[in-house]
Amino acid sequence: MRVEPRIELEEEPAPRLEPPLPAVVAADTFAPPRTGTAALALLGAVVLALGLAGLSVGNFVADQFARATWLGWATLGVAGAGFGLIGAGLLREVRALLALRHVDGLRDAFASGNAGRMMRAAVSWSHTVPGGATVAPALQAVNDPDAALALLRAGPCRTLREDADRLGRSAAVQAVAGIAAIPSPALDVLFVGWRGVRLVREVAALYGVRPGVLGTLGLLRRAATAATLVGAASLAGNTAAQALLSSPLLAHALGDAAAAGVAARRLVVLARATALACDPVPPG
Amino acid sequence: MTGLARAGKTAFLTSLAANLLALGAGQPVLPGFARRLGGRRVQVALAPSGASGLPRFDHPRHLAALTRDPPAWPERTSAASMLALDLVIGRESLGFALPSQRLRLELLDYPGEWLLDLPLLRTDFADWSAAVLRRLQAPAVAPHAAGFMAFNSALPAGATADESLAATGHRLYRATLHRLRDAGLSLLQPGRFLMPAPGPEPAWTPFFPNLGTGGLESLLARRYAAYVQAVQRDLQEPMFGNLDRIVVLVDLLSALHAGPDAFGDAAAAVSAAAGALRWRRSWIEAAWALGQLRLPPRVVSRVAFAATKSDHVAERQRGNLAALLRNVAEGGIGDAPDFGFAAAVPTSHLAIAAVRCTEDFVWTLDGRPVSAVRGRRIGDERLLRSYPGEVPDRPPDDAFWAHPFLQLPDFEPLRPPQGGRGGVPELGLDALLCFLLDDVL
């Protein structure tokens, strides 16, 4: 059946359209090899520390068994629990890094132009994000990568961006309040830095990426790339921060605290940049 | 850069300049072109106009029109102007010790109506008159030309050189051209009858196509020759004599809306204009120039055909639009001759939007999801959803014309980031630049 062409006016007024944000270029596109000298040395130190510690503990457990069997089992239990926790931590790090790699892989798939690959990536991503389940049946039905991407952009992507913006605004409010309450400028910096890292983790968790320490570092690097790419983000940040600071209550509390305004603006931008780094769907 | 009237030449130049300047400032624009540069640093600046006789393209004014709220499209071009950009591109790898590569891009803006004056250079008055009068008798055109044709056919073959006859015929013919333009037709000659050159009209202006044999025909032929000389002096030699690569902008989507006659007419007009440009090197001309201690005239070495306003259809239809353009350009349609240079010069066919106005979205129509676009119209704060119809990938047949292809809405441009300093939102401009400059990068 042929669909009749048509043109329709929407009911509600809308702001002037802005260009879509540019896709995040994978941070290592022009970068030197991922494993640098420092990373190799650090990895060696970790292997030495953990390996030698493990061997020492092994010897110690054997000695304890020589002293008394119950003492050996007790030592083995303690050592197992300790190394188990360390292993669990490492496993979590690896999973977080793999999740970031997965986002990069999805981004590549969406950019490939291969219809089958794009559709598989769309369906796969829709299963991992909140709200994705609602569009999953439609994705199966349309079986058209352009339409699938448009559905994702209109549904989960928009919701996630709005949620990330909300998190950014909330962090900005906290930063402004914190700066107003903290007496020392040096502590201000620490506080805003900590809030920024926490914000990155919150936004990542929103997108189903639960980063550990290394994952957070990787994410910060990607977010920094995104933030330099996103000229529009700073505009959006300005607007959001101005809206925030125009609250009479905050203005009364802060007076002309320019630093608070800058920090708030940066947190709003950081939330957007992190959302961009975690979102594999290319802008329409 | 060539293109018929309303193809978007001024918007194209404005966007190209803004995006190249933004690229030079390190903004993330023209991603494909930046990739082609392979990480080499590029500096871009508007070139000084020097002692050029051509007015400078008023880039800041046109960009300001796009960025202000509410925005406006650049005004209709009424005179020629030149945009010149200097590109300084750093060397890569082993060539780092060499001086940077310097390129100057010179782009011409001029009224699209004038483009169709170029074919007149190779046509005499009798042939031109015969061709025009034949076209005016076509069924789709005849109703618009009834007044002029009645007057012209009533003239006796041996009419004397009467100034009032010439003036009346000219007035009627000019009115006919305006009506035909309003009806969506493109192959309208002479171009200055529709868009006069600045300044007072020369005394030789009043002429019209006529196949008589008397004094009137002789007078009209002399005036036609004077017109052709003026075209050669003012347009062809200073502007088109020194080209080495060309972008032909074609508004195929509007032609699809206007119907089969207007579509065929637009294809014929672009074909005629492109055919008037210098595509192959002539050894006689080269030898003549060398004999006079001058460099041989340049020939066109690359040509890119670009279907403009491609953001008025959804992404999945832009491939069809480029394919349609390729078929029209390479095969010719209807009476339009093919361009005949496909094998001679590297050619590319692209669907672009120099200034993007819309975003894609999925519209459920009659229970089926359809890729469509939406944007704000100039002067309206509400979004307009548009699904004008399917774009065919080959010259449309009768089955296509049986259904309507809706008129393209007059969308307002997307807001350029950072007041234009971050470039102008576009589609496909980077691919076009990569193709045009590939051999010199």
Side-chain angles (χ1 to χ4, degrees):
Chain A
M1 189 184 72
R2 185 177 179 279
V3 177
E4 283 301 315
R6 71 197 73 177
I7 292 176
E8 281 180 17
L9 204 54
E10 293 187 357
E11 294 290 327
E12 297 295 320
R16 187 175 171 189
L17 294 179
E18 302 205 9
L21 302 178
V24 176
V25 177
D28 54 356
T29 306
F30 300 115
R34 195 175 280 272
T35 316
T37 313
L40 278 177
L42 190 66
L43 192 63
V46 171
V47 168
L48 280 178
L50 286 181
L52 292 180
L55 288 172
S56 302
V57 169
N59 286 333
F60 182 56
V61 169
D63 289 348
Q64 293 290 70
F65 269 110
R67 288 193 183 97
T69 308
W70 68 270
L71 207 57
W73 281 114
T75 315
L76 188 63
V78 171
F83 277 104
L85 287 174
I86 293 174
L90 286 177
L91 192 64
R92 188 180 282 183
E93 287 295 333
V94 169
R95 285 179 60 183
L97 288 176
L98 286 179
L100 276 181
R101 286 283 184 89
H102 184 56
V103 171
D104 287 343
L106 289 174
R107 195 173 284 135
D108 288 346
F110 285 134
S112 67
N114 177 326
R117 208 176 148 206
M118 290 169 78
M119 279 308 298
R120 281 194 296 279
V123 172
S124 151
W125 190 67
S126 72
H127 287 314
T128 62
V129 288
T134 55
V135 293
L139 291 182
Q140 300 285 3
V142 295
N143 198 23
D144 171 341
D146 299 327
L149 283 179
L151 278 176
L152 287 178
R153 281 185 205 115
C157 290
R158 175 167 287 187
T159 316
L160 286 167
R161 292 245 165 115
E162 285 168 1
D163 287 348
D165 277 353
R166 192 173 42 73
L167 287 173
R169 285 196 299 274
S170 155
V173 170
Q174 289 174 13
V176 169
I179 289 173
I182 294 173
S184 155
L187 288 179
D188 283 357
V189 174
L190 276 180
F191 173 70
V192 173
W194 166 78
R195 193 61 192 86
V197 171
R198 201 175 140 213
L199 174 63
V200 166
R201 294 167 61 94
E202 285 172 353
V203 174
L206 191 66
Y207 280 83
V209 183
R210 300 184 186 282
V213 177
L214 292 178
T216 306
L217 285 176
L219 206 48
L220 277 171
R221 194 180 60 176
R222 284 170 169 77
T225 314
T228 53
L229 277 172
V230 180
S234 64
L235 284 180
N238 274 334
T239 316
Q242 270 162 14
L244 195 72
L245 293 172
S246 61
S247 151
L249 184 65
L250 285 177
H252 179 70
L254 294 171
D256 286 326
V262 172
R265 192 172 301 135
R266 286 182 182 163
L267 284 174
V268 172
V269 172
L270 184 63
R272 282 218 154 180
T274 311
L276 208 55
C278 294
D279 186 351
V281 179
Chain B
M1 185 196 54
T2 66
L4 302 176
R6 306 303 301 267
K9 293 184 292 300
T10 308
F12 175 85
L13 281 192
T14 308
S15 172
L16 185 70
N19 282 308
L20 280 174
L21 289 169
L23 182 71
Q27 298 285 344
V29 294
L30 302 173
F33 187 59
R35 267 199 302 280
R36 174 65 186 81
L37 289 173
R40 285 185 285 166
R41 208 161 43 85
V42 60
Q43 295 172 349
V44 184
L46 288 172
S49 50
S52 166
L54 279 170
R56 190 170 165 154
F57 180 72
D58 196 353
H59 167 250
R61 186 167 64 89
H62 294 312
L63 184 60
L66 292 178
T67 53
R68 72 169 178 242
D69 270 322
W73 288 103
E75 293 159 17
R76 200 176 187 128
T77 307
S78 59
S81 61
M82 163 83 84
L83 170 70
L85 291 164
D86 279 336
L87 273 68
V88 181
I89 304 170
R91 302 275 180 184
E92 57 187 342
S93 59
L94 294 177
F96 72 95
L98 298 172
S100 297
Q101 187 182 6
R102 291 174 181 275
L103 282 179
R104 171 163 289 192
L105 293 183
E106 291 183 338
L107 299 118
L108 277 170
D109 188 28
Y110 56 88
E113 290 87 351
W114 296 3
L115 183 66
L116 289 171
D117 283 345
L118 290 179
L120 300 184
L121 297 176
R122 294 199 218 151
T123 314
D124 67 18
F125 180 68
D127 290 345
W128 174 73
S129 296
V132 169
L133 293 175
R134 196 168 52 246
R135 282 193 68 238
L136 294 183
Q137 287 165 352
V141 179
H144 303 288
F148 169 72
M149 289 304 281
F151 170 82
N152 199 40
S153 53
L155 285 176
T160 55
D162 183 338
E163 184 60 42
S164 67
L165 278 182
T168 306
H170 172 73
R171 182 171 50 75
L172 290 171
Y173 180 62
R174 207 162 176 160
T176 300
L177 289 182
H178 280 279
R179 274 198 296 278
L180 291 176
R181 182 170 71 179
D182 294 342
L185 297 186
S186 309
L187 185 46
L188 306 172
Q189 293 168 317
R192 291 187 194 197
F193 283 12
L194 287 167
M195 178 60 74
E201 281 203 336
W204 42 254
T205 302
F207 69 91
F208 56 91
N210 180 269
L211 290 175
T213 52
L216 180 64
E217 193 270 347
S218 169
L219 172 69
L220 298 177
R222 286 201 306 280
R223 290 182 170 177
Y224 173 85
Y227 184 93
V228 169
Q229 273 179 9
V231 168
Q232 185 144 23
R233 184 185 65 235
D234 302 338
L235 187 69
Q236 199 252 347
E237 283 179 0
M239 298 188 203
F240 290 93
N242 215 18
L243 290 178
D244 62 351
R245 49 206 75 208
I246 288 184
V247 183
V248 183
L249 300 179
V250 191
D251 183 5
L252 274 185
L253 292 174
S254 296
L256 279 179
H257 162 69
D261 297 322
F263 188 80
D265 195 67
V270 174
S271 179
L277 297 166
R278 187 191 305 275
W279 299 105
R280 292 188 179 84
R281 192 176 295 283
S282 156
W283 293 109
I284 297 173
E285 284 182 355
W288 177 253
L290 288 173
Q292 294 183 317
L293 300 179
R294 287 190 292 111
L295 286 175
R298 290 190 182 185
V299 291
V300 173
S301 61
R302 266 169 195 259
V303 58
F305 286 90
T308 55
K309 305 179 187 175
S310 72
D311 59 335
H312 285 57
V313 292
E315 185 177 7
R316 56 181 309 195
Q317 298 209 43
R318 288 175 206 141
N320 276 9
L321 185 59
L324 174 64
L325 181 63
R326 176 186 300 276
N327 279 318
V328 168
E330 289 184 351
I333 61 166
D335 296 334
D338 72 28
F339 289 105
F341 52 77
V345 292
T347 307
S348 177
H349 304 84
L350 304 149
I352 68 164
V355 180
R356 191 172 180 180
C357 308
T358 64
E359 62 181 16
D360 288 15
F361 81 111
V362 176
W363 196 1
T364 304
L365 295 174
D366 305 336
R368 292 178 57 189
V370 172
S371 296
V373 297
R374 65 183 166 201
R376 292 203 326 183
R377 271 188 309 187
I378 294 265
D380 194 338
E381 291 198 342
R382 289 173 296 171
L383 286 176
L384 188 74
R385 302 171 167 199
S386 170
Y387 169 66
E390 290 292 319
V391 178
D393 62 356
R394 61 200 67 194
D397 51 15
D398 292 341
F400 176 86
W401 297 118
H403 301 284
F405 188 87
L406 299 185
Q407 185 169 17
L408 301 183
D410 194 8
F411 285 122
E412 72 174 17
L414 296 191
R415 187 193 303 280
Q418 301 170 40
R421 290 194 305 280
V424 169
E426 46 76 33
L427 285 175
L429 218 51
D430 49 354
L432 183 71
L433 272 176
C434 284
F435 169 74
L436 279 182
L437 302 179
D438 190 55
D439 55 332
V440 291
L441 286 178

